[in-house]
């Protein structure tokens, strides 16, 4: 039997499918991704985690009239398959083949901004929104940004600016609680508190119920109720940081539930103001070994699908390993040596160093 994804030449084809067909599409996309990346290597875990997200965004929004920006380019493999590049997907990252990142040259219609990673999407979206509004055009602008990418300085400048300009943009925060290694920092802690504190969410629901019962007659009573609401909101609403920056915050929602994603996108897409939707995903979703070890499968070389074991290249030891060992060796003799990385503990070979010298290791 023909696979469903083979009937999808563009997002319009996807939008003709029933909502109940979409989990099948997700399964087929994952199979295709695993088949290819196990041979070519690539950013497997981040893109596995964003399959339902890519499907739901293209299903709910009217791409390419609505503009979609992927901030973290390596989350976009499913997006590539849904936008006419399924047949070429086996050429991923090969000479003359598909790029591992959004590329304007590859797809001017669907990859509207060439990027790698990270933190550029929100300011790009704002620029596009300013142009749209000056020209009096009407379409949506959607951004998907990773939790670590959101902590980048440029993303924060853009959040600040967006709340001020009150532009109609939708930002989807793809929060898998992971950078390449574990996400660190104050923002990451904040996001984590939103997700893990059920009391937060429960109390909020209770407060909303009570507030709905307060009769809204009499100006004084009304004003008092509003003030109370604002005060309580400050204490209790998850995502207040974003609200204070001028965004409407929605979430957290399950990023692997396509129906819920589509419903949420449809509910909020026409509010006409800056929107932030907090979506929780699992890095490596759908492939056991990547779920268990998302760091190792963040960017991977070829591997055996059955066992998850990396296919060894010719070299006995990689450059990265040699560097990592040498760092430890040198640091034992010289206590002025420190290790610094931007979330690339494993990728730079500094993992051994970080364990041997935790106080001299800095993940910035
Ligand atoms: C300025 C800079 N620092 C570090 C890196 C290395 N890097 C590549 S991907 C990544 C993590 C991305 O995390 P997130 O945005 O949460 O996306 P995810 O990989 O979890 O899908 C990092 C730190 C980089 N590309 N650029
Ligand atoms: Mg992440």
């Amino acid at each position: 039997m023909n696979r469903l994804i083979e009937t999808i030449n563009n997002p319009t084809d996807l939008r003709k499918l029933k909502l109940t067909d979409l989990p099948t599409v997700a399964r087929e996309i994952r199979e295709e991704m695993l088949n290819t990346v196990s041979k070519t290597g690539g950013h497997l875990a981040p893109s596995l985690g964003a399959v339902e997200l890519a499907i739901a965004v293209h299903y709910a929004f009217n791409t390419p009239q609505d503009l979609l920006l992927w901030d973290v380019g390596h989350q976009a493999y499913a997006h590539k398959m849904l936008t006419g590049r399924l047949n070429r997907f086996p050429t991923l990252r090969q000479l003359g083949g598909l790029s591992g990142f959004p590329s304007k040259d590859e797809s001017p219609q669907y990859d509207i901004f060439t990027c790698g990673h990270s933190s550029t999407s929100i300011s790009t979206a704002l620029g596009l929104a300013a142009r749209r509004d000056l020209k009096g055009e009407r379409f949506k602008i959607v951004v998907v940004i990773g939790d670590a990418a959101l902590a980048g300085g440029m993303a924060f400048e853009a959040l600040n600016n967006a709340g001020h300009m009150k532009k109609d943009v939708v930002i989807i925060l793809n929060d898998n609680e992971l950078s390449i290694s574990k996400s660190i920092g104050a923002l990451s802690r904040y996001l984590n508190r939103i997700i893990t504190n059920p009391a937060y969410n429960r109390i909020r629901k209770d407060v909303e119920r009570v507030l709905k019962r307060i009769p809204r007659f009499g100006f004084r009573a009304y004003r008092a109720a509003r003030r109370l609401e604002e005060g309580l909101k400050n204490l209790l609403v998850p995502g207040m940081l974003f609200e204070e920056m001028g965004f409407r915050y929605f979430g957290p929602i399950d990023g692997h539930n396509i129906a819920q994603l589509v419903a949420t996108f449809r509910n909020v897409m026409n509010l006409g103001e800056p929107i932030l939707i907090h979506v929780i995903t699992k890095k490596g979703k759908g492939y056991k070994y990547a779920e268990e070890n998302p760091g190792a499968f963040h960017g991977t070389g070829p591997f055996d699908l059955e066992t998850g074991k990396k296919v060894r290249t010719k070299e006995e030891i990689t450059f990265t390993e040699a560097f990592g060992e040498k760092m430890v060796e040198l640091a034992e003799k010289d206590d002025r040596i420190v290790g610094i990385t931007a979330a690339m503990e494993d990728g730079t070979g500094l993992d051994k160093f970080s364990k041997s010298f935790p106080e001299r290791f800095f993940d910035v």
Side-chain angles (χ1 to χ4, degrees), residues 4 7-22 25 58-61 266:
L4 264 182
T7 67
I8 303 170
N9 293 310
N10 52 51
T12 309
D13 293 337
L14 174 74
R15 291 190 282 269
K16 285 182 195 140
L17 297 178
K18 293 194 296 281
L19 198 56
T20 47
D21 285 333
L22 301 184
V25 176
H58 281 294
Y59 195 78
F61 289 89
R266 285 183 174 157

Side-chain angles (χ1 to χ4, degrees), residues 168-182:
D168 176 2
V169 290
V170 177
I171 298 181
I172 300 167
L173 169 57
N174 175 12
D175 185 358
N176 54 24
E177 299 174 71
L178 289 168
S179 180
I180 297 179
S181 317
K182 185 110 197 74

